[in-house]
Amino acid sequence: MKLMAVNESILGLKAARNIYSSDGTLLIAAGFEVKEAYIKRLKELGVYSVYIDDGVREVEVEDVVSERTRVEALKLTRDTMTRMGAGAKVGVDEINKVMNDIMDELMANPNLMLNLVDIRAMNDYTFGHCVGVAVLSLMTAITMGYNQFDLKKLGMGALFHDLGKIKIPDSILYKPGPLSPLEWEEMKRHSAIGFELLRERGDFNIVSAHVAFQHHEKLDGTGYPRGIRGQEIHEYARIVALANVYDGVTTDRPYRPRKLPHQAILIIRDGVRTQFDPDIAPAFLSNVAIYPVGTVLVLNTGEKARVIEVTKRHPASPVVRVITTPDGHPVEEGRKIDLAKSPNVRPVSLDEP
Ligand SMILES: [Fe+2]
């Protein structure tokens, strides 16, 4: 399967994965042919890329959490955030259950890395982003050796870190261009609003409220809202800050297309020490695949090869299958190379579609 842009080029091809909107509606079902009406609908919803079945069976990617749990978490997050914004009661038991499900699945698969792009509808970006940030934050904390009790508090804070956005007008949240200075000031209020909303209710641990408050703070004190620095920022918020930036830049937005994982990883590495905690960044980075399964790489031999497996031990050296000769001719049943065991072969660039 491979990730392709939503345009006429996918007409008649088969979708490789289900895509849901945040209310749990199936937008496109795996195995079905993409029709013209689907392309139109996906564009309307701001879905810019989809996984297409290209017949390559070797590339089957497993998500770090099951589709059922991710969709359930998405629905509940949307429902809970909307209710909290309106001051209504929320189903805390249900949220606890889905958080436990996410934690159980992540702990059962400690060797899985984030390999998939989470396809989201743009018009409800916030909710998918919250689930994505919770999953990435928990993966990082599991690597750091957190216990169940701490994971839960962190997970809740991560899931609702952007709760305050529920009070920010859609015209700012989904503006298809850069924000004006005034709009930007309004947008920045979401950290403090989320903190107040979470603190007012007894349903959540106060630490989770502080995650919402501090997730845009930076290590060197140049973040917002308070400009606190270093260890003054709660460790949970330092974890969520990494997950937040990574998830944000790898998702399509109205004003810019998503970045590829290796580009997002460079952004994280560039921000270590100024923006991100150098003691936490390695734990975070060990959980995201630089070259996700399915990516086509150009090797120093001139051949092109498709990534078929990535391991945490060697995140920059995946196992690949050669698909073209150095002069570009397709190869049937090309050889399999474990780049971690082949010091003379290395990727030089990505073959971008
Ligand atoms: Fe935020």
Side-chain angles (χ1 to χ4, degrees):
M1 85 184 182
K2 66 177 183 188
L3 194 60
M4 291 182 73
V6 174
N7 55 40
E8 305 314 313
S9 67
I10 60 169
L11 193 64
L13 302 179
K14 273 188 194 154
R17 297 182 68 85
N18 293 332
I19 303 176
Y20 297 87
S21 65
S22 67
D23 62 2
T25 311
L26 190 59
L27 296 175
I28 186 163
F32 277 78
E33 242 178 51
V34 179
K35 300 203 167 63
E36 207 160 339
Y38 292 171
I39 296 179
K40 191 165 166 270
R41 178 85 182 117
L42 290 173
K43 279 185 178 167
E44 276 167 12
L45 290 164
V47 177
Y48 290 157
S49 34
V50 285
Y51 278 105
I52 293 295
D53 184 352
D54 59 357
V56 181
R57 288 285 156 252
E58 202 166 27
V59 180
E60 293 298 337
V61 193
E62 211 181 328
D63 197 355
V64 288
V65 290
S66 65
E67 182 181 280
R68 191 185 59 82
T69 300
R70 213 182 257 273
V71 174
E72 191 57 32
L74 184 60
K75 280 197 305 196
L76 262 177
T77 306
R78 173 191 163 119
D79 189 54
T80 308
M81 284 176 62
T82 311
R83 281 167 177 273
M84 289 218 273
K89 263 182 90 71
V90 296
V92 181
D93 291 347
E94 289 168 292
I95 304 163
N96 273 318
K97 186 185 172 302
V98 83
M99 185 53 66
N100 287 337
D101 287 348
I102 294 175
M103 283 164 42
D104 287 349
E105 289 181 21
L106 291 178
M107 284 188 290
N109 297 311
N111 292 320
L112 276 186
M113 299 175 78
L114 194 76
N115 256 307
L116 275 180
V117 174
D118 185 18
I119 306 294
R120 296 166 194 165
M122 189 83 68
N123 58 354
D124 47 21
Y125 163 81
T126 302
F127 310 111
H129 171 67
C130 285
V131 176
V133 168
V135 169
L136 271 172
S137 298
L138 287 169
M139 290 173 86
T140 307
I142 291 169
T143 304
M144 292 167 73
Y146 271 40
N147 63 31
Q148 292 251 10
F149 181 69
D150 290 328
L151 283 177
K152 186 76 167 282
K153 286 189 291 183
L154 164 73
M156 287 296 191
L159 193 60
F160 295 109
H161 74 283
D162 264 348
L163 171 64
K165 284 194 177 164
I166 210 78
K167 298 282 193 189
I168 306 295
D170 279 359
S171 58
I172 294 179
L173 229 41
Y174 299 111
K175 186 177 172 183
L179 298 180
S180 72
L182 258 181
E183 288 168 331
W184 183 233
E185 285 310 310
E186 175 71 13
M187 177 70 124
K188 282 176 19 185
R189 289 178 56 231
H190 79 276
S191 323
I193 296 172
F195 173 63
E196 290 300 336
L197 284 172
L198 285 165
R199 194 171 65 146
E200 279 166 10
R201 2 189 17 126
D203 309 331
F204 296 91
N205 191 294
I206 186 70
V207 176
S208 304
H210 279 283
V211 172
F213 200 21
Q214 299 178 14
H215 73 277
H216 286 289
E217 298 289 2
K218 296 180 182 175
L219 221 65
D220 63 3
T222 59
Y224 67 85
R226 289 180 292 167
I228 54 175
R229 56 176 71 223
Q231 305 288 316
E232 292 170 347
I233 307 166
H234 194 284
E235 183 170 285
Y236 296 1
R238 281 180 267 142
I239 295 173
V240 171
L242 279 156
N244 180 42
V245 168
Y246 185 86
D247 188 90
V249 300
T250 52
T251 312
D252 286 313
R253 301 309 309 275
Y255 46 89
R256 55 142 179 83
R258 70 193 167 83
K259 295 220 184 309
L260 294 167
H262 72 285
Q263 297 167 321
I265 286 166
L266 280 182
I267 292 174
I268 299 284
R269 286 194 184 139
D270 280 349
V272 172
R273 276 173 225 287
T274 50
Q275 186 170 359
F276 307 118
D277 188 330
D279 293 329
I280 298 175
F284 174 83
L285 291 171
S286 73
N287 283 290
V288 287
I290 303 174
Y291 306 118
V293 172
T295 306
V296 175
L297 303 173
V298 181
L299 304 177
N300 61 333
T301 56
E303 297 159 299
K304 286 183 184 172
R306 190 190 305 268
V307 175
I308 56 176
E309 196 186 327
V310 193
T311 61
K312 279 192 179 175
R313 273 174 69 92
H314 304 289
S317 304
V319 179
V320 299
R321 169 86 66 195
V322 171
I323 57 170
T324 76
T325 60
D327 43 16
H329 295 294
V331 190
E332 294 258 340
E333 288 293 306
R335 68 188 198 286
K336 188 170 161 179
I337 313 173
D338 183 346
L339 296 180
K341 293 182 185 151
S342 313
N344 297 325
V345 187
R346 61 182 185 278
V348 286
S349 64
L350 276 188
D351 184 42
E352 288 178 46

